[in-house]
Amino acid sequence: MQKYMIFFLVVLLAGINSFAEEKHGNSIVTDKKNAIYWQDNISSQKSSKDWDDAVLYCDKLVLNDIAHWRLPTFNELFSIVDYTRVHPAINPVFSFVKEGTYWTSTGFAPTRSRAWTIDFRTGKTYYSYTTTNHAVRCVKDIPLQSAKESK
């Protein structure tokens, strides 16, 4: 139990003030600090998939002619939690939010049958069986050249 508390504290400190955003149209948020695009459309509010389907969904997603998205890592998804807010506890730049749990790509180390999720009602983190359904918010790495140009 203690090792999980230490993990949580490390992640918490790593995630504080780690998000710099810019909104592009109605479907993409640019996170300049972490050099990723975030999906922000109606599908990110309504989607509910098991972990394998979430991975495939992100890979097939096309937004604003940008393809091949992926599930965010635990640290990436945690970076958009806003503990000054509840219901939802997410950075207010996001327009489409399901008040519930979202998948991360980060597996739960003791077993391959679970992965980490973050609940945006409160910002709490959980691990869940990969066969359960949770919401999906995909990310895409900003190409290196585009990241340099935006600085």
Side-chain angles (χ1 to χ4, degrees):
M1 179 69 169
Q2 185 178 8
K3 66 181 173 182
Y4 298 118
M5 292 299 285
I6 292 170
F7 172 76
F8 178 74
L9 289 173
V10 168
V11 170
L12 177 64
L13 293 174
I16 293 174
N17 296 323
S18 66
F19 189 79
E21 76 276 341
E22 182 178 305
K23 188 81 173 193
H24 290 279
N26 294 332
S27 59
I28 296 177
V29 172
T30 300
D31 177 347
K32 292 180 182 179
K33 183 162 185 157
N34 295 309
I36 54 177
Y37 296 122
W38 286 96
Q39 171 194 12
D40 188 35
N41 63 1
I42 195 73
S43 293
S44 57
Q45 183 178 23
K46 293 184 176 180
S47 59
S48 184
K49 306 195 179 296
D50 70 23
W51 192 84
D52 289 330
D53 287 341
V55 170
L56 288 173
Y57 167 78
C58 289
D59 186 53
K60 293 179 180 183
L61 181 65
V62 177
L63 285 176
N64 296 357
D65 296 323
I66 300 172
H68 302 292
W69 296 66
R70 62 177 174 78
L71 277 180
T73 65
F74 180 90
N75 286 339
E76 288 168 338
L77 192 61
F78 194 75
S79 75
I80 65 174
V81 172
D82 183 345
Y83 284 110
T84 66
R85 303 165 48 91
V86 292
H87 299 285
I90 190 170
N91 186 308
V93 72
F94 292 95
S95 303
F96 299 96
V97 181
K98 177 182 179 184
E99 289 189 24
T101 53
Y102 281 77
W103 281 119
T104 75
S105 64
T106 306
F108 181 64
T111 176
R112 289 185 168 175
S113 65
R114 297 182 186 184
W116 285 100
T117 62
I118 296 178
D119 187 337
F120 282 103
R121 287 177 285 237
T122 61
K124 290 184 179 180
T125 62
Y126 301 95
Y127 54 88
S128 184
Y129 285 103
T130 57
T131 55
T132 57
N133 289 345
H134 297 289
V136 181
R137 181 176 302 276
C138 305
V139 295
K140 171 81 175 173
D141 295 312
I142 296 174
L144 188 57
Q145 184 177 8
S146 294
K148 286 180 181 177
E149 291 170 0
S150 66
K151 287 185 179 179

